[in-house]
Each structure stands twice: as C-alpha cells, then as structure tokens.
Amino acid sequence: MPLQDYSELNAIQLDALCEIGNIGSGNAASALSTMLDKPVNIAVPKIKVLDYESVVEQLGGAENALVGLMLSLTGDVTGMIMFLLHKEFAHMVLQELTGGTLQIGTELDEMSRSAIMEVGNIMAASYVNAIASLTGLEINITVPDLCVDMVGAILSVPAIYYADISDKIIFIEDEFNHKTDHAGSHVLLIPETQSLAKIMASLGLDG
C-alpha cells in the first residue's frame, strides 16, 4: 500500500533515506571543495524524520538567525528542499569566495547573495542527484530563494505550504570541516507524500 504520510515510513525505508542523505552529503562536500578550491571534509550526517516543532528546536529555537535557501522540486518528484546555513558556514563561504563577511541584520550585497545562492544550487543538486541516481527518477530544481531571518520565519513557508500534506520533515544535519573551521548546515527535504511513495517504489521498498 502506498505511503499516505511520513509517519508510515518503516525502518528499512528510513535506512534508505539515510543512505540517500549520506551520498548527498558526500557529494555536497566534494562539490563545495571544488568550488572553494580547498579540502572540505564532512562528518557522518544525522538524518531524522521530525515534526516542525522538533525541527525548530534542533535549529536553536524560533529566534535563532540562519541563512535560508528554498528550492522547489519538479519533474518525477515534486516538493521542496531547504538549506539552512549557520552563520559560521555562510561566513566561511563568503570569506573564501568574496573576501566578505556575513552581518546578521544587514542586507547581503549582490556579490554575497550570488555566492550564497550558487552554494545553495550546488548543494541542492548534490542531494537531488543522489536521489535521481538511486531511483532513476528525473528531478529538477528551481533557482533558490534566499533570506537571512529567524528560524520561525524561515520555516513558516513550508509549514503553511505542507500543512495539509504532512507535519513531518526529513531533517539532515551536516557538519563540514575546512582547515580549522567547523561549519554546520541543515537540509530539509520535503517531497510531497505521493513523490515520497514514488521514491520508495523506485527503490523497491513500497511493500
């Protein structure tokens, strides 16, 4: 019987999501290393299926400021993927690519916005390509929307959009290591339930 809700995922299906997350995170580290022209290592990602309130807690509370990038998924899989970058991560990227810094509470200049959005594109493609390569499905991503805001405000968009679909999110926590810097990011993977069922069916895990 096809999945009706994220909460119906069984242990084997959750393991498959972990494998997708592991591959996506490894791809993201490699892509980031190429982009920065510096070695970037990644710790084993932590992958969970959480409700919105738990996600907010994991991200440091509703008033914690992060850099958010939101992209839509189209093609065989529809839904949304979000990247939430900790200030240290965004600062590291800007320092390496533009020599600039991230100042929370101020507008990013055009060069900084472009650099962060390019990172979002590359990282989103890393996870989407991991799903596509394992399932054979065709998945496209849109140009990212970027904002620097509090967690509560950033998460209000998917919370409203998916209110009638699911109250769960696939939550991937990454830690990248570059030189002596340790920078965290989070991936929120939110395929529509029908698309999640399609992913599992393509992996032979729909039973």
Side-chain angles (χ1 to χ4, degrees), residues 161-189:
Y161 188 81
Y162 285 97
D164 297 330
I165 299 172
S166 176
D167 63 349
K168 304 288 185 183
I169 291 175
I170 300 166
F171 180 86
I172 304 170
E173 182 179 358
D174 287 323
E175 181 182 308
F176 295 95
N177 300 302
H178 168 51
K179 296 180 182 175
T180 57
D181 295 326
H182 303 279
S185 75
H186 299 86
V187 182
L188 309 183
L189 184 58

Side-chain angles (χ1 to χ4, degrees), residues 23-35 38-42 123 126 176:
I23 294 171
S25 297
N27 291 348
S30 296
L32 194 59
S33 179
T34 299
M35 186 179 188
K38 305 283 184 182
V40 175
N41 300 310
I42 187 168
M123 295 182 71
S126 298
F176 295 95

